[in-house]
Amino acid sequence: MSEGLDPAALLPHLMQLGTVLNRSQLVERAMEQVGVGLERPGLTVLITLRMAGQPLRVGEIAARMQVVGPHVTRLLHDLERAGLVQRVTDPTDQRARLIELTGSGSAAAGRYLEAVLGWFTGAIADWPEEDQQTFGRLLGRFVDDLQARVADLG
């Protein structure tokens, strides 16, 4: 551990962040802007596909969401019925199917991301560009490292 980091000083900020995100209901407010009656897990599938920028296999969606495949399969049935995703043939394996966003699914994910990212971008808009880049780099590193340590716990 670095001598410069005082974990006890960091904890209140992490707790405050959690409180701000929960009390402000940013996720719920952004979901309202989607304009499609979706629960959070279904929306997470759409965002996962949108962020991937390409069709994915069910197992890859599940891995990126850190859930089991059958859970994603159930969600996909509902999303497919709603016209938000569709199954397409995998060009590298004609027997396999990929899941891709429809135009409606892509638009819904885009509206959600626009709302959430707009709030986050607005919060740091007055920061110097170097601070914004440093924050993004360090936050990404922190989340990746924390996720790896939690995964090691079992």
Side-chain angles (χ1 to χ4, degrees):
M1 178 170 13
S2 170
E3 290 180 28
L5 177 64
D6 176 6
L10 184 61
L11 187 58
H13 297 292
L14 292 173
M15 292 173 66
Q16 186 177 11
L17 176 61
T19 300
V20 167
L21 292 174
N22 287 330
R23 285 196 179 154
S24 66
Q25 297 182 317
L26 286 183
V27 170
E28 290 78 9
R29 290 174 191 221
M31 285 180 69
E32 288 173 9
Q33 293 188 20
V34 169
V36 179
L38 285 178
E39 297 293 323
R40 195 179 286 191
L43 185 58
T44 302
V45 171
L46 299 184
I47 293 165
T48 299
L49 287 165
R50 175 77 184 249
M51 299 295 288
Q54 64 184 16
L56 298 173
R57 289 185 180 203
V58 172
E60 178 64 20
I61 295 169
R64 290 178 184 215
M65 290 176 59
Q66 300 177 351
V67 297
V68 295
H71 177 68
V72 172
T73 301
R74 284 190 298 276
L75 294 170
L76 289 172
H77 290 302
D78 293 339
L79 293 171
E80 200 169 17
R81 277 194 294 273
L84 300 171
V85 301
Q86 61 189 6
R87 295 173 194 272
V88 295
T89 302
D90 185 336
T92 63
D93 180 355
Q94 296 297 310
R95 299 167 296 164
R97 297 286 177 253
L98 299 174
I99 308 300
E100 75 176 0
L101 290 172
T102 63
S104 297
S106 182
R111 287 189 300 273
Y112 176 84
L113 289 170
E114 186 177 300
V116 170
L117 296 176
W119 290 317
F120 292 157
T121 302
I124 62 171
D126 294 335
W127 294 13
E129 186 175 336
E130 183 178 341
D131 288 355
Q132 291 179 21
Q133 291 174 356
T134 299
F135 175 70
R137 181 177 53 79
L138 291 175
L139 181 61
R141 182 176 168 190
F142 175 73
V143 170
D144 290 346
D145 291 348
L146 182 60
Q147 191 170 25
R149 285 190 176 258
V150 169
D152 287 345
L153 296 175

